[in-house]
Amino acid sequence: MNRYLLPLGFLGILFFFIAKIPPLSGADSVAGSKTLDFRPISYFNNQCARCHGPGGSFYGDQFAADLSPAELKHTVDEMAAGPGGAPVHGDSLEALYQYHLGLSKGKPFLVITEVSDGSIAGEVTEGTQVVLTSAGDTLHATLAENTWRIVGDLQIQPHSKLLLISESDTLTVHPTRQAYTTFSE
């Protein structure tokens, strides 16, 4: 076999596969966002609010003050499996725990549950504004109870930020790195 034909054959196969790679677009940038197929605030309001109040309103100011982060996570897990009647695991448990950690600290919580061409949406604690900053643009979310949605020419990039603005805090979620607010323990 001719030694020049083998590299040419390899290059032909390489070009064939490169041609199959779609070009980058806004949709591809949005698709790079992290999402969670679980709605922790809806879960809480459906499974837990009958005892703990909507959004944990019956918890009081000292909620989880005497619990370590590990104890709080264990309690959330046990309550979901027991009285909540709907056990959660993995990322869903972690998001539900982070939601409770936010409640205990009085901090806003956000989760990204949906990303599509020109739209990013999810849940957020009531009374929190959501703003996307990316590629020099600022887009404000429309809010309805505990849900938020941003529609537009979305260019989600590694430096993009979702800002959660509440009466007491402004927090940041990086949509290409995290699907929900995380709090240091």
Side-chain angles (χ1 to χ4, degrees):
M1 180 176 237
N2 188 327
R3 65 182 179 157
Y4 297 107
L5 290 179
L6 186 59
L8 288 176
F10 173 75
L11 288 176
I13 292 170
L14 180 64
F15 286 127
F16 173 79
F17 284 108
I18 289 174
K20 297 278 187 191
I21 299 172
L24 291 177
S25 68
D28 292 326
S29 296
V30 171
S33 299
K34 303 288 183 192
T35 61
L36 184 66
D37 189 25
F38 176 72
R39 300 177 186 291
I41 297 172
S42 293
Y43 175 95
F44 183 90
N45 287 334
N46 292 327
Q47 304 302 125
C48 311
R50 65 182 174 265
C51 296
H52 303 294
S57 59
F58 298 166
Y59 280 147
D61 293 343
Q62 295 300 309
F63 168 65
D66 59 341
L67 298 177
S68 71
E71 290 170 326
L72 177 59
K73 188 172 187 176
H74 179 74
T75 301
V76 168
D77 187 23
E78 282 188 334
M79 294 299 288
V88 292
H89 308 283
D91 284 342
S92 298
L93 174 59
E94 183 63 26
L96 191 58
Y97 159 66
Q98 291 293 333
Y99 173 62
H100 279 81
L101 201 54
L103 289 174
S104 74
K105 295 173 181 268
K107 305 277 186 187
F109 177 84
L110 173 138
V111 61
I112 302 168
T113 59
E114 176 189 328
V115 175
S116 63
D117 189 16
S119 175
I120 184 169
E123 292 187 325
V124 67
T125 49
E126 270 190 64
T128 304
Q129 297 176 34
V130 180
V131 177
L132 173 69
T133 62
S134 183
D137 293 327
T138 300
L139 299 169
H140 293 263
T142 56
L143 304 168
E145 295 179 7
N146 291 105
T147 62
W148 62 274
R149 178 175 300 279
I150 297 173
V151 177
D153 182 22
L154 302 179
Q155 299 292 320
I156 307 293
Q157 301 169 357
H159 64 275
S160 297
K161 297 178 192 172
L162 283 167
L163 301 175
L164 288 67
I165 305 166
S166 71
E167 289 182 14
S168 60
D169 273 307
T170 298
L171 301 178
T172 302
V173 172
H174 298 275
T176 59
R177 290 182 259 162
Q178 60 194 107
Y180 48 86
T181 310
T182 56
F183 302 97
S184 58
E185 301 172 4

